[in-house]
Each structure stands twice: as C-alpha cells, then as structure tokens.
Amino acid sequence: MVQQYSVLINGKLEKPGKWIDVVNPANEQVIGQVPDCGQAELDRAVAAARAAFKTWSKTPIDERRAVIMKISAAIKENADELMRLLTAEQGKPHAQATGEIYGAAGMAAAQSTLTLEDEINEDSETRLSRTRRVPVGVVGGIVPWNFPVMMAIQKIVPAMLSGCTIVLKPSPFTPLATLRIMELVADVVPAGVLNVITGGDDLGPMITAHPDIDKITFTGSTATGKRVMETASKDLKRITLELGGNDASIVLPDADVKKVAEQLFWSSFTNAGQICVAAKRIYIHEDIYDELSAAIAEYARHVKVGDGAEQGTAVGPIQNKKQYERVLELIQDAKDNGYKFLVGGDHDPSVPGYYVPITILDNPPEDARIVAEEQFGPVMPLMKFATVDEAIARANASDYGLAGAVWTSDTDEGVRVAEQLETGTVWINEFLHLSPFAPFGGHKQSGFGAEYGKEGLLEFTYPQVITIKREKAAA
Ligand code: NAD
C-alpha cells in the first residue's frame, strides 16, 4: 500500500478518510495518497486559524520570526528526503529539486528579516500622525504544481511574519513534500497559525468563497486567477494574484553568441519549461539569428530528457497528464501549420510518463499558437527581428506582463530596452533570478499585487493611521 499523508489542522496531523492519489509523472505510478478535504475540514481549519489569530497577531514580530526560522531549519535538515519526494511528485531532476528545497529554506530565512516599522506622517506642533501596520487576519493560500514547495513557503512566510494566520491548499498534483514539511513543523508552530489541507479543484473555490477568510494569496493560471478575483470580490477579500506569463527574451545584435546560447536554453527549459517566468518567446536580431539558433540547437541535442531521479537527466517530464496533452496539442498545431522545427517535435507515446521532447521552432509567425499562448512545457520558439523597436513592440503585444530579458554586451542599451518592456521584472544578461527583497509581480493579466520584498509583506497588512491632535503651545 502507498503511504497516506496527513493534513495539518489546528496543530494536529489528521487523516480525515477520503483520499486522492498522487502520481509520479515520470512513470505514471501512484506514489502516495492525500486527504480529499471538503467544507467540513476547511471550516475547522478556518476556525482554528481565526482563534489563533487573536494571540499570533499580538505576538512580537521577533517571536514570529523565530518560528519561521525553525521552519526554515526543518526544511534544510531534511533537504535530501524532501528533494527526492519533490522529484517523485513533480518530475524535476534531483539537482533542480535540491535547488527548490534549499531555495525555499533560504527564502524563508531571508524574508523573515523584513520589518514592519511604524511611519510618521506628521510630527508638528498641531498633530502627531503615525501609520502602523496591522495584519489582515486569516489568509487562504492556494498553490500550483510547478514549484509546490517554494510557492507554499512564499505564502506561509509573509502571512506568518505579518501576524496573519493561514489555511494553505497545495495543488492536488503535488502536495506530498508540503505535507511532509507539515509533519516536521507541526510541533514548532503554535496550533492554528498554520493549517494545510488538501483536496480536489472544488476546494479552491470553497476557500475563495469562505466568509471568515480575509485575504487570498493565489499562484496559478490567469484563467483561475480571474475566477478567484470574482469570488473574492463578494466580500472584498484582499487578494494577491501571481498568474501566467508569456515572457519574451530579446537578443540584441551585440550579444555574445557562444555565451548566451546555453543560458537562453536554460531560461526556457529549466523545470521542463513549467515556470511562470520561463522565456517563452525568444526574439533574436537577424544579424546573429542563424549563428545563435544553430548554437542553441546544437546544445539542446546533448541534453537528456528522462526520469528526474535518474543520473544525467536534465529535463524531466511534464507534471501532469492534462498539461502534457496541452503541450502536445500546441506542437501538433505547429506541425499542422507547417512551421519549421530545429529540434524535437516527435514524442514516443509507447513510453510511460509524460515526456515531451525538447522542441525548438525556427521563426514561426507571431500568431502561431505556440508563440501567442503560454506553452508551459519544453518548447522554445525562436523569432527573427530587424529593429529593436520592432522587437519591443512584438514583446509587448501580449495580455501578459510577468517578466522578460534582454541580452546584450551594452548594459546601457539593455536598460533602455528594459524600461520599455511592459512587465514586472526585466533581467539583463541573466534569467529567473528572484530576490527575497525585491517585489515580484505581474503587470497586465499576469497578476495583481506583488510577492517578495517589503511590498509583498505589506500586502498581508492594513495600514492604520493614528492621529493625535496637539494643542499649540501659547505664544
Ligand atoms: P491552476 O490555475 O490550474 O491551479 C492553481 C491552483 O488553484 C491549484 O491549487 C488548483 O487546485 C486551484 N484552483 C483550481 N480552480 C480553482 C478555483 N476556481 N478557485 C480557486 N482555486 C482553484 O494553475 P496550475 O495549472 O496549477 O499552474 C500553472 C499556472 O500557474 C501557469 O499559468 C503559470 O504561469 C502559473 N504560475 C504563476 C506563477 C507566478 O508567480 N506568477 C508561478 C507559478 C505558476
């Protein structure tokens, strides 16, 4: 029998009775079962979070920080076990799973150093006005399947640091490492402050509609994000939405082809392309297009796709069947339209596991589905441009606005281009770097609000202004 995991409600590990199977995408075997929670478990988790809020919100921030540091330490101390579990449920190769586990522990530790000081608005003879930050209340956190541990930590840490309590729902596809972390920290976090429940896709809407949840922090697709916003609007819950992207990379003619080929490859293919900020459209100046596309294709031919638990695998499977079928559909559409493939395109359906070959397209049109839609898979369309203004216009012609990158030997020119891109983050000569101290959020339909940094933390608080009238001293 496979291992059955527990949810964490009010400080207790529970197995409520109904189960969801969790599948390893590398071989389609069931590797664990998690509770299929519904309204009853959610109500209990929210009630526990509400009760805990009374004391947690008044607990000094140093004490809250210390609890977060214990969570960070528990993740680090159990990194090897968690890394293996993460590869098994998510598919990413061991090296990338290790990066996610240590990254989550590091992000938790770094963000716990953020502070929430009062600000003086006016200190005059007639008035003292001060803004303090008060926690919003009970938070509902909803997490996707591509970086399940990092995203869970990204919800838990700012919520707890700000003085909120939280009910978190992992994706039903990738709940195992998160639930294992809850077993490790159940005795470390005061009861009710942190609750994690698993369930099917019907549990998300129950959270966003719950009358006793004050704020939703959601990471997932733009389509679901819109539904979250609609439901949360009924009682004006506060929301933070981190949604999809169709990030463009612009490679200027002075870029060093040899240096950037490998980096561009990994900006698209890390985690098999299942990253909100993966480079999903690569615009290359026509002067270097042939040389650079050949260098990327050559590099790609030596990268091993396979089970992330096997040595040498650099690109794992797609995480779930639905997404696998969607990526294959986009590749089929490119074939049907006669677009040219530089690498890949043909998968082998007889092999178990959700494997998509590394696929690189040669200058497909801007309205190709594989360019216009977020692929979220190991697919990279390379496109040729003639002028920088044209590249900027094409990059910006999207409803998304999450991130982008500029590749150049001239960083001043890189900044000039970056400042014209309509995205929340732009990297120059690097990719995928997120700082615990810089706000990360999407423009346009890639999101609402921000995570990380002070700005991310403030989203879990209300400003409260306290004004004292002063009598003017008699002259
Ligand atoms: P998804 O929107 O299908 O699901 C995300 C989460 O929402 C899951 O936990 C799911 O169970 C839950 N959910 C489903 N329907 C819901 C509803 N009606 N109300 C509330 N919750 C609901 O996304 P996914 O397929 O898990 O993840 C992939 C998407 O996430 C991609 O579009 C990707 O770009 C995006 N993403 C964005 C970021 C970011 O930081 N901007 C990071 C990672 C992933």
Side-chain angles (χ1 to χ4, degrees), residues 89-358:
E89 67 176 332
Q90 204 282 330
K92 65 188 57 176
H94 277 168
Q96 291 174 35
T98 302
E100 178 170 347
I101 298 297
Y102 278 105
M107 276 289 186
Q111 286 186 68
S112 75
T113 63
L114 293 168
T115 52
L116 284 171
E117 319 81 7
D118 292 2
E119 273 180 41
I120 301 298
N121 312 307
E122 182 181 338
D123 185 359
S124 67
E125 278 186 354
T126 52
R127 188 171 295 105
L128 175 64
S129 166
R130 170 175 65 96
T131 303
R132 63 192 285 264
R133 290 281 164 177
V134 293
V136 165
V138 175
V139 173
I142 301 177
V143 174
W145 46 258
N146 59 342
F147 281 85
V149 175
M150 185 62 117
M151 301 290 151
I153 286 299
Q154 195 38 47
K155 312 284 177 236
I156 292 168
V157 167
M160 283 179 56
L161 185 64
S162 66
C164 293
T165 54
I166 182 166
V167 177
L168 184 98
K169 185 193 90 62
S171 165
F173 294 117
T174 52
L176 300 185
T178 307
L179 291 185
R180 177 68 188 122
I181 292 169
M182 292 310 116
E183 287 175 11
L184 297 168
V185 304
D187 294 335
V188 163
V189 184
V193 169
L194 169 58
N195 306 271
V196 176
I197 54 174
T198 47
D201 274 348
D202 51 344
L203 185 57
M206 287 178 205
I207 291 175
T208 54
H210 200 289
D212 211 22
I213 288 181
D214 304 292
K215 173 184 172 71
I216 300 293
T217 172
F218 170 86
T219 300
S221 63
T222 293
T224 310
K226 288 178 185 177
R227 285 196 280 277
V228 168
M229 191 167 185
E230 195 179 337
T231 311
S233 74
K234 303 281 188 301
D235 51 3
L236 274 185
K237 287 183 175 59
R238 270 44 190 170
I239 51 171
T240 303
L241 304 177
E242 294 292 356
L243 308 177
N246 196 4
D247 295 3
S249 256
I250 299 179
V251 190
L252 300 184
D254 65 356
D256 179 338
V257 168
K258 284 207 177 60
K259 232 160 105 184
V260 302
E262 186 176 337
Q263 289 175 288
L264 277 170
F265 177 87
W266 288 114
S267 73
S268 285
F269 290 100
T270 303
N271 203 28
Q274 303 161 108
I275 309 188
C276 52
V277 287
K280 293 170 187 143
R281 299 176 289 154
I282 316 281
Y283 296 98
I284 303 173
H285 192 271
E286 59 188 8
D287 287 356
I288 55 167
Y289 183 87
D290 290 346
E291 194 191 348
L292 181 54
S293 57
I296 296 172
E298 177 55 24
Y299 181 83
R301 289 191 191 98
H302 297 97
V303 174
K304 184 182 159 196
V305 178
D307 182 338
E310 281 172 13
Q311 215 170 6
T313 296
V315 173
I318 294 288
Q319 199 284 321
N320 61 76
K321 191 160 189 237
K322 190 170 152 223
Q323 183 62 18
Y324 169 66
E325 286 169 351
R326 188 183 133 67
V327 177
L328 292 181
E329 183 190 309
L330 290 179
I331 292 175
Q332 188 57 46
D333 177 78
K335 284 185 180 170
D336 294 346
N337 282 286
Y339 305 144
K340 198 171 149 207
F341 288 70
L342 280 175
V343 179
D346 296 318
H347 81 292
D348 179 357
S350 69
V351 179
Y354 306 135
Y355 296 106
V356 174
I358 287 168

